Amino acid sequence: MSASVARSTPPERHFSDSFTWGVSTAAYQIEGAFDQGGRGPSIWDVFSHTPGKTARGDNGDVACDHYNRWREDLELLRELGIGAYRFSVAWPRWSPAGNGRVNPEGCEFYDRLVDGLLDIGVAPWLCLYHWDLPQALQERGGWADRDVVERFSDHAASVMAVLGDRVEHVALLNEPNVVGLLGHLLGLHAPGLSDLDAYAAATHHLNLATGKTLDRLRREGRGWALGTILNLQPVLAQGDSEDDAAAAALLDAVWNGNHLDPLVSGRYPAATEALLERFVREGDLESVKRPLDWFGLNLYSQLRVAADPSSLVGLRLVEPPEEAETTAMGWEVAPEALSRQLKEAQARLGEVPIVVTENGAAYRDRPGPDLEVDDLRRTNYLERHVREVLSAREAGVDVRGYFVWSLLDNFEWHEGYARRFGLVYVDYPTQRRVPKRSFRWYQQLVRSGVIPRSEDVA
Ligand code: IFM
């Protein structure tokens, strides 16, 4: 064999062809067109239009204008070469008042999007709720009102009646823990409440909606792969004291346990049971404990916590150590958290396959003269996290896919547009899209199944 042939032997693949590579987005963060096509107002329209709620008063009115530019965005997906695209259906675009009355233009938009994805060979992964509750439902109590469980289940059935002939993978809720905590207790996200009862009620109703809707969609017998998505993070105690350990256990119960525990064991964590049980009716928890066809894990970082008797809840979040690398969100870069969380989730879920439905990093990207972005730090973040996926697989975790958050820079909720997560830079004034280094890195990974070194991709 000649030396040139020997040199051209491709490196051994890290991932086989059956592994799903994707990117994730969410309706409110990219669509814009808030008053186009019969869309109704969502809680995020109201929240982001309330002075002082978002950085610089940013809102999703225009966002990436994806509603009008989706064809161009599909071209990016094609160029990227991924097998799957996770997007969410905006409930107020589908049913403006959230009462089941369907908006034909909204339906048509998603109908065309799904067809467009299939035309380019990309599997649509549909998420039924990514935080944009119709404002009309909020006015009736939103997630804190038990009636929302039925409304969500009707909505899910309505969406799947139209799109379910072409969509196989369906995620029910995206990150209910963030909806509960940031939206109902910390007041940082829509609907902007800081109310312990509202938090407890919303937490339980989000869980109940998951269980009841799983049953409802399963009863249709259409063979959909039904899953749901949690944002989980390892919680580290700051010191060795018992108090710090107790603080970590409490935060773990609140952040990770309040949604994962009832799903897998039909119980709330001991630490939060008393708070939540006021909203639990007979039979509820049996309806929440459901086997999933797949579980979606969103992971970005890990949390550090210390006991703090002066705080209302007895604990405080601790900043990452000075030497730690952080992203523009202030989140610690801790790739090992991903393999750790994958192993823990698998141990809790049993045989359920896991998909990393979000992972990515925000930086304040500085574009060059032609708007090109050399985002080596993001590329490196992704490389290190994908290596952790590989190591979790080697350790026996059944990880079937990985989705980068996100395809495009977009509206990062109360942080607005300055925090960029995209593989593609969006110049908001012109809406020009420019793929970054991380895009090309991901493209190579997807094509070859081999993890490229971030420095090797220009
Ligand atoms: O942008 C969000 C997304 O909507 C939900 N998961 C976390 C991302 C980054 O904060």
Side-chain angles (χ1 to χ4, degrees):
M1 186 187 290
S2 76
S4 64
V5 173
R7 263 203 309 276
S8 68
T9 307
E12 205 183 316
R13 290 177 72 97
H14 297 125
F15 293 90
S16 69
D17 279 343
S18 62
F19 191 82
T20 300
W21 296 108
V23 288
S24 290
T25 62
Y28 189 74
Q29 293 178 274
I30 63 167
E31 281 182 9
F34 77 115
D35 58 355
Q36 255 181 276
R39 179 184 177 280
S42 81
I43 55 173
W44 268 97
D45 296 300
V46 173
F47 184 77
S48 63
H49 281 256
T50 307
K53 296 296 184 192
T54 63
R56 291 167 311 276
D58 287 352
N59 59 54
D61 290 4
V62 178
C64 306
D65 196 28
H66 170 78
Y67 181 79
N68 296 305
R69 295 168 193 264
W70 62 274
R71 286 190 181 80
E72 186 186 340
D73 294 336
L74 255 50
E75 274 311 306
L76 290 166
L77 295 178
R78 189 213 295 267
E79 204 184 320
L80 192 52
I82 46 158
Y85 174 61
R86 177 168 80 96
F87 66 99
S88 73
V89 168
W91 192 344
R93 196 178 288 293
W94 193 271
S95 172
N99 57 6
R101 196 164 308 131
V102 169
N103 164 34
E105 280 185 77
C107 259
E108 280 156 25
F109 170 69
Y110 295 108
D111 206 60
R112 284 193 297 266
L113 180 68
V114 166
D115 281 346
L117 286 165
L118 294 172
D119 283 349
I120 59 167
V122 174
W125 284 48
L126 188 160
C127 180
L128 287 162
Y129 186 71
H130 200 128
W131 308 356
D132 42 2
L133 190 76
Q135 176 62 17
L137 291 184
Q138 188 58 40
E139 280 155 21
R140 294 167 51 181
W143 284 106
D145 177 43
R146 194 176 165 100
D147 184 55
V148 74
V149 173
E150 279 305 307
R151 301 284 73 76
F152 176 68
S153 181
D154 290 348
H155 170 61
S158 158
V159 172
M160 292 313 290
V162 178
L163 303 179
D165 56 340
R166 285 152 292 156
V167 170
E168 184 187 349
H169 285 89
V170 186
L172 272 70
L173 302 182
N174 184 72
E175 301 181 355
N177 50 345
V178 175
V179 174
L181 262 175
L182 272 66
H184 295 78
L185 192 60
L186 303 178
L188 292 171
H189 278 190
L193 304 177
S194 301
D195 176 331
L196 193 59
D197 281 345
Y199 164 69
T203 297
H204 181 59
H205 297 147
L206 286 155
N207 290 330
L208 196 57
T210 307
K212 296 254 186 214
T213 307
L214 276 170
D215 284 352
R216 169 113 176 230
L217 296 182
R218 282 215 171 103
R219 275 200 301 274
E220 307 248 337
R222 305 274 300 272
W224 295 313
L226 302 173
T228 200
I229 299 172
L230 298 183
N231 179 321
L232 302 178
Q233 310 194 57
V235 180
L236 312 185
Q238 175 69 357
D240 295 332
S241 70
E242 273 183 25
D243 287 351
D244 280 3
L250 177 59
L251 186 60
D252 181 50
V254 171
W255 185 267
N256 299 313
N258 272 348
H259 298 276
L260 188 59
D261 287 15
L263 188 70
V264 298
S265 66
R267 297 200 56 162
Y268 281 118
T272 55
E273 207 171 14
L275 174 69
L276 299 173
E277 73 186 0
R278 290 175 296 144
F279 299 96
V280 178
R281 295 193 192 155
E282 208 181 327
D284 278 6
L285 289 172
E286 287 84 74
S287 314
V288 175
K289 183 179 172 212
R290 284 288 170 275
L292 298 170
D293 298 320
W294 58 275
F295 173 78
L297 169 67
N298 290 357
L299 185 134
Y300 291 85
S301 185
Q302 60 191 11
L303 295 170
R304 294 173 183 269
V305 67
D308 181 357
S310 71
S311 109
L312 244 144
V313 285
L315 60 82
R316 70 185 159 80
L317 287 176
V318 176
E319 294 290 313
E322 230 167 72
E323 67 282 6
E325 196 184 328
T326 54
T327 68
M329 302 295 281
W331 298 345
E332 184 174 350
V333 177
E336 65 287 357
L338 181 53
S339 48
R340 174 175 167 183
Q341 197 61 67
L342 281 166
K343 287 176 201 157
E344 282 183 22
Q346 190 80 79
R348 300 292 314 278
L349 291 157
E351 309 258 283
V352 179
I354 304 180
V355 176
V356 178
T357 34
E358 286 183 24
N359 176 240
Y363 292 104
R364 295 175 189 277
D365 295 322
R366 305 251 179 275
D370 203 23
L371 298 181
E372 74 282 359
V373 174
D374 184 3
D375 60 338
L376 182 57
R377 280 185 304 172
R378 178 177 296 102
T379 311
N380 194 257
Y381 175 102
L382 295 174
E383 179 194 342
R384 284 184 281 166
H385 282 78
V386 171
R387 289 193 189 283
E388 293 295 323
V389 172
L390 187 62
S391 101
R393 271 165 68 86
E394 284 165 359
V397 180
D398 187 9
V399 197
R400 302 271 180 95
Y402 174 90
F403 288 61
V404 173
W405 182 269
S406 183
L407 173 67
L408 304 168
D409 293 337
N410 60 50
F411 175 73
E412 179 50 27
W413 308 111
H414 67 297
E415 307 280 6
Y417 291 99
R419 312 287 160 94
R420 293 175 178 268
F421 274 93
L423 297 174
V424 175
Y425 183 82
V426 177
D427 180 47
Y428 294 110
T430 61
Q431 289 293 346
R432 194 171 144 210
R433 274 86 161 128
V434 183
K436 306 176 191 175
R437 177 202 287 250
S438 55
F439 181 97
R440 292 184 287 279
W441 173 87
Y442 199 39
Q443 195 178 42
Q444 276 197 26
L445 168 61
V446 170
R447 277 188 194 149
S448 65
V450 178
I451 308 170
R453 280 164 30 95
S454 33
E455 298 81 6
D456 293 347
V457 180

